[in-house]
Amino acid sequence: MRDVDRPNSRSGQIYQRARQVLPGGTSRSSTYASPHPIYLSSGHGAYITDVDGIELLDFANNFTTMIHGYANPIIEAAVIEQVKRGSSFGFATEHEVELAELLRARVESIDQIRFMNSGTEAVMHAIRAARAYTGRPKIAKCEGAFHGNYDYAEVSLESGPDNWGDTQPARLSTTKGVPAGVLDDVVVIPLNDVELASQVLEASKDELAGVLIDPLANRAGMVPATAAFLDMVRTFCTANDVVMISDEVLCFRLGFGGAQTEFGYQADLTVLGKIIGGGFPVGAVGGRSEFMRVFDPTDGKPDMPQSGTFAGNPVTMAAGVASMNLLTLEEFERLNRLGELARNRLRDVIQAAGVPGQVTGLGSLFRIHLTERTLHGYRDAYPTPEERENLNKLYHYLLEHGVLIASSGMCALTTPMCEAEIELLAERVDDGLASLP
Ligand SMILES: Cc1ncc(COP(=O)(O)O)c(C=O)c1O
């Protein structure tokens, strides 16, 4: 059992050093925790171990990235093989071509692809590509949806009841000091409100370069985009020569062909990340050749020159090929069946506990909400202070009893898991709910 408040723990001691050299003691806001972050020493299969030797069954897996868990022997072998040959070059390698071919074969709307180093970078390049393609400045995104840390993609990310506006979602910056021009060039639409979103898009259609959509936006509650909403966006983009961008950095893991195949739409550009790098830093933008042409230097300077010292890094590409090859149709079916089991077990546990709660998500992704409100999108999923506190208590209860989920309540399954891990999660959540006031 973990006692996170132990100042003499090894994590506590490392934190004292770390806070001198890293603001908050880590390089990511998301890995900061009070009274101190947890520092890890290793991970194997579905478990991670911290520097105090405490093991956690990991349902967060680096925010859904580590779909094969830790130290998968096949990925490990591919990585070691490439490291021995050289970890980074100023030329491309065949692994890059192989990963591009593999992804193209899985996603119908992808003819060509470009690799980058993170989802943030890929979203940024997708937005820049949409602007280069259309010659227009603005981008539309859903209220509350997270698309990484690019200024334009962050607009309205943390809007709340005090400032989100009555009807049309307010354009609010998340980071202090963002130039006003950024807000002028972002249009915010409400997820799943077809009528209002369509009105807002229509009003800006002459200046819009792209509409950025995540069909299972975690920060908007992991509530699936409705078919009517996706249809409206697709029809609007086609009618107005606006680029439809599908951000599947997180939800590409929904199935063999990614989220578009599961939801039944085709985007113009698709942003990928997380699982396609086999546990190494990665991002990618793919799409029809017509849209990807803006990246192409064959006939001289492209409309959208994109570069990057580590773009298409051979170790990442080798790990990505190994990771994706392990994700067969059968493995996705198994993982998604487990996801369904997990959602159902947690729903049963919540109901039996008699606490307000529900579980959203699809495939191998799910999120626990301690509210009974019907969730249509960001505003309904936004927790009240009491709901936030209860979720926080549940999160800490689980952490102290050997199970890691994201503090938002989000969970993701990994291929080393089976029914036993789901049962353990359900049992711990059951106990955790019983401990709530
Ligand atoms: C939907 C979505 N887009 C973009 C990003 C940014 O990716 P990265 O953290 O690799 O920069 C994330 C990260 O969680 C994400 O969930």
Side-chain angles (χ1 to χ4, degrees):
M1 192 168 121
R2 163 186 301 283
D3 173 0
V4 283
D5 285 328
R6 274 178 305 157
N8 291 330
S9 67
R10 180 94 180 97
S11 273
Q13 287 167 1
I14 293 178
Y15 176 58
Q16 294 312 320
R17 268 170 57 209
R19 60 201 287 248
Q20 309 301 319
V21 285
L22 298 159
T26 77
S27 293
R28 297 163 75 175
S29 296
S30 54
T31 52
Y32 173 74
S34 177
H36 60 74
I38 295 171
Y39 295 88
L40 294 188
S41 68
S42 63
H44 289 100
Y47 285 83
I48 50 175
T49 306
D50 75 5
V51 287
D52 289 291
I54 296 169
E55 212 173 55
L56 292 168
L57 174 56
D58 186 4
F59 286 94
N61 45 93
N62 194 9
F63 296 88
T64 77
T65 306
M66 304 302 288
I67 195 164
H68 297 297
Y70 302 92
N72 176 286
I74 292 173
I75 300 176
E76 195 180 283
V79 166
I80 290 171
E81 170 67 20
Q82 184 55 46
V83 169
K84 283 183 180 165
R85 292 162 182 259
S87 58
S88 161
F89 306 112
F91 286 107
T93 64
E94 197 170 345
H95 291 313
E96 192 176 329
V97 184
E98 198 181 347
L99 186 56
E101 285 169 346
L102 196 155
L103 294 168
R104 179 171 100 155
R106 292 187 180 206
V107 185
E108 209 180 326
S109 68
I110 294 184
D111 295 331
Q112 293 186 311
I113 197 158
R114 272 278 175 118
F115 292 106
M116 293 111 199
N117 300 294
S118 69
T120 291
E121 198 186 337
V123 167
M124 176 183 81
H125 284 312
I127 291 175
R128 282 153 48 95
R131 290 188 187 129
Y133 180 80
T134 58
R136 303 182 197 138
K138 292 194 178 181
I139 198 82
K141 62 154 305 210
C142 289
E143 181 177 40
F146 181 66
H147 298 282
N149 295 133
Y150 183 42
D151 282 349
Y152 296 88
E154 274 191 339
V155 171
S156 95
L157 180 56
E158 280 170 7
S159 45
D162 295 342
N163 60 6
W164 61 29
D166 288 339
T167 46
Q168 179 171 346
R171 291 169 291 132
L172 302 163
S173 69
T174 300
T175 321
K176 267 195 175 167
V178 167
V182 168
L183 296 182
D184 293 342
D185 282 336
V186 179
V187 173
V188 186
I189 55 175
L191 174 72
N192 287 341
D193 184 337
V194 176
E195 209 179 307
L196 181 55
S198 158
Q199 278 170 25
V200 175
L201 291 176
E202 282 292 332
S204 303
K205 65 183 178 193
D206 296 333
E207 291 172 294
L208 267 183
V211 182
L212 181 59
I213 297 293
D214 175 348
L216 193 67
N218 173 42
R219 295 254 192 126
M222 204 167 252
V223 181
T226 61
F229 183 79
L230 292 168
D231 270 1
M232 180 278 290
V233 172
R234 182 61 277 178
T235 307
F236 168 84
C237 288
T238 306
N240 297 289
D241 293 322
V242 172
V243 180
M244 181 178 182
I245 307 169
S246 184
D247 179 353
E248 300 187 27
V249 169
L250 194 136
C251 64
F252 190 60
R253 62 147 60 219
L254 286 180
F256 189 78
Q260 278 168 71
T261 311
E262 298 299 309
F263 280 84
Y265 67 95
Q266 289 199 22
D268 301 319
L269 291 178
T270 299
V271 184
L272 303 175
K274 294 194 190 276
I275 66 162
I276 68 158
F280 286 78
V282 79
V285 177
R288 294 258 178 253
S289 306
E290 178 194 346
F291 299 96
M292 293 301 289
R293 201 171 296 136
V294 297
F295 291 97
D296 192 346
T298 316
D299 297 326
K301 185 173 169 290
D303 291 338
M304 221 299 284
Q306 168 254 332
S307 203
T309 304
F310 292 104
N313 175 266
V315 179
T316 304
M317 298 293 107
V321 169
S323 166
M324 294 310 295
N325 278 333
L326 287 168
L327 292 169
T328 57
L329 263 172
E330 295 71 33
E331 191 54 4
F332 271 117
E333 271 171 30
R334 189 187 74 86
L335 211 48
N336 291 354
R337 263 200 313 276
L338 275 184
E340 200 52 34
L341 175 72
R343 281 184 288 277
N344 288 335
R345 283 293 291 120
L346 290 174
R347 282 174 189 140
D348 290 348
V349 160
I350 289 169
Q351 198 181 21
V355 296
Q358 60 191 291
V359 185
T360 55
L362 288 173
S364 57
L365 294 166
F366 48 99
R367 182 166 163 174
I368 301 167
H369 301 262
L370 295 182
T371 180
E372 274 173 340
R373 273 188 308 284
T374 306
L375 305 182
H376 300 286
Y378 179 67
R379 294 193 182 191
D380 311 310
Y382 195 90
T384 64
E386 191 195 349
E387 289 163 3
R388 199 181 289 273
E389 197 183 321
N390 282 340
L391 191 60
N392 196 31
K393 283 186 178 140
L394 178 64
Y395 165 75
H396 278 103
Y397 180 91
L398 295 175
L399 192 60
E400 287 170 21
H401 292 81
V403 174
L404 179 68
I405 66 171
S407 58
S408 63
M410 180 188 68
C411 304
L413 301 181
T414 58
T415 56
M417 291 179 176
C418 58
E419 280 86 353
E421 281 76 23
I422 307 295
E423 220 24 68
L424 202 135
L425 173 68
E427 273 172 30
R428 294 287 191 275
V429 170
D430 194 16
D431 298 342
L433 291 176
S435 75
L436 293 181

